[in-house]
Amino acid sequence: MPIAIPDGVSVEIAENNHVTVKGPKGTLERDLPIEMTIEVEGSEVKVSRPNDLKKMKSLHGLTRSLLNNMVLGVKEGFSKALEINGVGYRAVKKGKELTLHLGYSHPVVMNDPEGLETTLEDNKITVSGIDKEAVGQYAAEIRSKRVPEPYKGKGIKYVDETIRRKVGKAGKK
C-alpha cells in the first residue's frame, strides 16, 4: 500500500535506504532495511520486497510502517497521555525538568529527552514529539517509576489503560 506524502512534507532516499523526511514539525532520519526497495513516485512512497519469503514479508510491513510513522510525525506529531492516581502523588514541571512525588522518600526527577516535550495539566502528563518510538519509550519510562497496583489503582497509568482490580483480603468469620 503506497504512503501518501502530504503537502509541506518531503521524502529523500539516499544510498543504503537512508531515509530523510522533512516537514513543518521537524526532520527525521532513519536507516531502513537494505533488502527493501523504496521509491518516491510523485506524491507517494512505494515499498516493495525482492521475494515472498516470510522474513521479507515481515520486513516489508515493518519498513512501510516505519516510513508512514515518520511522515505522520513530521506532519502532525505524536502524543501519549499518562494519569497520576494516588493520595499525595503529584508532578511538578519546571523548564525541561519533570519532578514526580510518588510516595518514595525522595522526589523522582526526569529530564525531557531531545525532541520531546512534556506538559502537565492537573494530574495528567502528556508526552509529545515527532518520533513515535521515542514518545512511547519516554512515556513507558515515566510509567515505570510507579506502575499502578491492582488493589487501589495507585500509580501512573496511561489514560486509555484499564487496571485489573483485585479484591483485598477477606476478614475472619
Side-chain angles (χ1 to χ4, degrees):
M1 196 169 122
I3 302 160
I5 303 172
D7 294 337
V9 176
S10 67
V11 178
E12 294 168 17
I13 297 140
E15 61 184 80
N16 294 337
N17 280 357
H18 182 79
V19 178
T20 307
V21 181
K22 291 180 183 158
K25 291 211 174 229
T27 305
L28 286 174
E29 287 186 34
R30 187 178 210 132
D31 288 318
L32 294 171
I34 303 166
E35 296 92 336
M36 297 299 121
T37 308
I38 304 167
E39 298 159 334
V40 178
E41 294 175 5
S43 65
E44 287 184 335
V45 180
K46 290 189 177 173
V47 181
S48 54
R49 60 179 177 247
N51 53 43
D52 280 351
L53 291 174
K54 186 168 174 39
K55 184 179 182 200
M56 293 304 148
K57 284 182 175 179
S58 53
L59 272 178
H60 186 200
L62 171 74
T63 306
R64 193 216 171 270
S65 290
L66 291 173
L67 251 172
N68 192 41
N69 287 341
M70 289 169 74
V71 171
L72 287 174
V74 296
K75 181 70 177 166
E76 297 155 22
F78 294 101
S79 67
K80 271 207 181 280
L82 297 135
E83 192 177 343
I84 301 173
N85 294 323
V87 179
Y89 289 11
R90 58 194 168 89
V92 179
K93 178 86 167 135
K94 194 177 275 182
K96 282 193 154 282
E97 211 170 69
L98 181 68
T99 307
L100 303 166
H101 299 275
L102 301 169
Y104 297 120
S105 60
H106 58 282
V108 178
V109 179
M110 299 184 79
N111 292 311
D112 291 355
E114 196 65 42
L116 295 183
E117 185 186 336
T118 56
T119 53
L120 200 62
E121 196 176 297
D122 296 332
N123 63 343
K124 283 190 174 60
I125 302 168
T126 307
V127 181
S128 55
I130 60 172
D131 187 355
K132 187 174 188 175
E133 199 174 324
V135 168
Q137 181 63 41
Y138 190 53
E141 285 172 19
I142 293 172
R143 182 181 181 273
S144 73
K145 298 302 175 192
R146 183 67 99 176
V147 178
E149 50 94 29
Y151 297 101
K152 289 187 177 174
K154 291 166 52 172
I156 302 174
K157 70 177 192 84
Y158 296 111
V159 169
D160 57 354
E161 179 183 13
T162 53
I163 300 161
R164 296 210 36 214
R165 302 296 289 270
K166 290 183 178 179
V167 180
K169 59 183 178 181
K172 287 186 175 181
K173 289 189 177 183

